[in-house]
Amino acid sequence: MILTTILSLVLPASLENQAHAFGKGRWRPVPAPSPTNTPSQTPTVPASPSPSPSPSPSPSVSPSPSPSPSPTVKRVGDISVCSFNIQFLGSSGTRDNRALADLMKEEGCEIVVIQEMVAAPHENYLSLNLLEIFQNFPSTPKNIPEGSIGYNFKAYPFTDPATAEMIRPVSKTTAFFDAMKAAGFSDFVLSPDNTGPTQNRVNSSANEWWLTFFLPEKVEIARDLPYGFLSPQLVANPDFDRVPYAVPFRTKDKAFDFVLISVHFRPGSSQKARRKQELGAIQNWISNPAFTEHDFIVLGDMNIENKKELDALPFFSSLNSDCVGTNTNPKPTSVRPYDHVMVDRRHTTEAEVPTAGNFRVINLIDQLSDDWSARHPGEAYPGGVRDPSGQVTGYVHDAFRLEYSDHHPVQFKITVPEKDDDQ
């Protein structure tokens, strides 16, 4: 039910006045070379999951040395990475996908890591996945044009084990993929299955898919690095509520490679021990002696409640060390530092992923107000109105989260070195 109570709210100074190294509100990357549409790396191990309800184990990768950058290759410059939990992506019929996709483009995001996608897109998009392959993927029916209304969805790669019914694509999810494609994000990695604490392979908030978009003129998929689900047990995993998914990248100039691990930890003020366990299990995975890659970046909705909880977590350093709030509800008692970007400083240096000034919250309430006014003339903006003192009136949380999200996207940059210290 849409909240009707009009709140008078103040955005915390830590969010409103946060310092960052992205210039005036936005960090603009160095221009990049012309794009290519397919990754150049060759898989060293099979990465496709089993089509049966029990997924196959994640690959154990012993990567070969990555190539050194050629003197004639244009340097790609810094890489802007955005992490965005879009609440129940694929479930809201009112979500403004175009506004969110355009914002990612306008803010200079070159890799966009999405959490909380709860329903599958049109199967045409599954066939475009650039990392793992959906086994037994059927051919498109010839009697219906690809992508048209009325397309036959019956031939989906797997079924719901409880009902034996095919998982069906959801048009609300497909609309987001369409919007991202229109904004220039045609290349993406989608996990080959979904994962959840009690069930998977259903279109519901009980399970989630992992999704990462990227610009191919800046990075390419590096299949010789570790990738995939961190554990083959995708439901009721003893270490994770939602098994994290690793995506490997190498810069187009071959100067630097890294692995992004997208996460969504268990929420709740009483679940600190569980979140600590989840982070510890990630550390165990990346410590595999078979891995020669050591630049792992853990990012996403960690549901961390406060700085006290953050400081008690081992192994990793957070770029959000000040625990700036990342949820959209600006009520002072509701602001939480849920989203983080973490690295292991024993391996990933400050020169590669700086801490100081390198964590920016892209405030949806402020950034999308003009877009709302242009497309909904005369209608009250669910994000409310902010006065010069920072006070917000008229914020309606349920309306805002359904239209956009309940989390702000967060942004950081990777500084590409002259030579990767893993090489």
Side-chain angles (χ1 to χ4, degrees):
M1 180 178 293
I2 302 300
L3 295 178
T4 57
T5 304
I6 304 300
L7 303 176
S8 178
L9 306 172
V10 179
L11 187 70
S14 60
L15 179 56
E16 176 68 14
N17 300 318
Q18 61 178 305
H20 54 73
F22 298 88
K24 279 193 170 181
R26 294 177 184 173
W27 173 70
R28 293 303 181 196
V30 175
S34 301
T36 56
N37 293 323
T38 56
S40 62
Q41 303 302 316
T42 302
T44 58
V45 295
S48 302
S50 168
S52 64
S54 297
S56 60
S58 300
S60 176
V61 182
S62 297
S64 56
S66 56
S68 299
S70 166
T72 61
V73 176
K74 184 177 180 180
R75 296 301 306 277
V76 300
D78 294 345
I79 299 170
S80 171
V81 184
C82 293
S83 176
F84 194 3
N85 179 312
I86 304 177
Q87 188 183 40
F88 303 148
L89 177 60
S91 69
S92 173
T94 64
R95 177 157 285 125
D96 193 339
N97 295 297
R98 188 195 66 81
L100 296 180
D102 286 352
L103 182 64
M104 294 295 94
K105 178 180 179 179
E106 291 165 4
E107 295 297 331
C109 302
E110 295 164 323
I111 299 176
V112 181
V113 184
I114 302 293
Q115 296 92 37
E116 212 164 310
M117 191 180 91
V118 300
H122 192 290
E123 64 180 48
N124 287 346
Y125 279 113
L126 296 187
S127 67
L128 299 175
N129 187 36
L130 290 177
L131 184 54
E132 300 194 67
I133 298 171
F134 290 80
Q135 286 191 341
N136 298 334
F137 189 80
S139 59
T140 300
K142 296 181 179 179
N143 60 324
I144 301 178
E146 181 176 313
S148 66
I149 297 175
Y151 184 87
N152 187 342
F153 292 128
K154 291 183 179 180
Y156 214 66
F158 48 70
T159 61
D160 181 341
T163 64
E165 293 181 356
M166 291 286 180
I167 300 270
R168 302 303 176 95
V170 173
S171 61
K172 298 167 189 174
T173 306
T174 304
F176 179 73
F177 276 73
D178 290 343
M180 289 294 284
K181 181 178 180 181
F185 295 97
S186 297
D187 288 33
F188 63 88
V189 171
L190 176 65
S191 62
D193 209 331
N194 53 13
T195 177
T198 60
Q199 58 181 327
N200 77 331
R201 299 187 174 181
V202 295
N203 284 336
S204 82
S205 60
N207 49 199
E208 300 176 18
W209 304 75
W210 302 109
L211 175 63
T212 299
F213 293 91
F214 64 95
L215 299 185
E217 60 265 33
K218 296 300 291 274
V219 293
E220 61 190 14
I221 300 300
R223 290 186 179 88
D224 56 308
L225 305 184
Y227 66 89
F229 284 106
L230 271 58
S231 170
Q233 184 176 332
L234 302 184
V235 178
N237 190 287
D239 293 319
F240 304 107
D241 274 25
R242 288 159 283 266
V243 178
Y245 190 79
V247 181
F249 286 109
R250 179 169 291 115
T251 57
K252 291 295 288 189
D253 59 8
K254 315 297 183 186
F256 188 60
D257 48 37
F258 55 96
V259 178
L260 300 180
I261 302 177
S262 186
V263 303
H264 187 186
F265 291 167
R266 181 182 293 182
S269 58
S270 64
Q271 300 299 325
K272 295 180 177 64
R274 175 62 170 180
R275 292 191 286 271
K276 186 175 182 178
Q277 177 186 10
E278 292 186 279
L279 195 61
I282 294 174
Q283 174 65 23
N284 290 338
W285 186 82
I286 69 175
S287 298
N288 187 331
F291 296 165
T292 58
E293 176 58 41
H294 299 298
D295 291 308
F296 294 91
I297 302 173
V298 185
L299 72 172
D301 180 6
M302 300 188 186
N303 277 304
I304 291 172
E305 294 274 321
N306 49 46
K307 187 166 177 58
K308 181 179 179 180
E309 178 183 357
L310 176 65
D311 290 344
L313 296 175
F315 310 120
F316 294 95
S317 297
S318 174
L319 302 189
N320 190 10
S321 57
D322 293 331
C323 282
V324 175
T326 63
N327 57 323
T328 60
N329 192 338
K331 186 177 180 181
T333 56
S334 299
V335 174
R336 296 288 185 276
Y338 289 145
D339 298 86
H340 288 262
V341 178
M342 294 189 176
V343 295
D344 185 340
R345 286 300 183 201
R346 295 174 300 176
H347 304 295
T348 303
T349 67
E350 287 281 352
E352 295 164 338
V353 181
T355 298
N358 194 26
F359 186 86
R360 177 183 175 223
V361 177
I362 301 173
N363 190 292
L364 293 182
I365 295 173
D366 294 338
Q367 296 291 346
L368 296 175
S369 59
D370 289 345
D371 183 86
W372 171 276
S373 298
R375 290 202 279 164
H376 303 274
E379 296 184 33
Y381 177 46
V385 178
R386 188 187 304 281
D387 65 25
S389 70
Q391 182 174 348
V392 174
T393 58
Y395 175 83
V396 184
H397 184 61
D398 278 2
F400 192 87
R401 68 183 179 86
L402 291 174
E403 185 76 19
Y404 304 113
S405 184
D406 63 343
H407 284 243
H408 300 294
V410 301
Q411 183 180 33
F412 70 101
K413 67 178 179 180
I414 296 172
T415 302
V416 179
E418 292 291 333
K419 181 175 175 59
D420 194 340
D421 56 12
D422 288 338
Q423 296 177 10

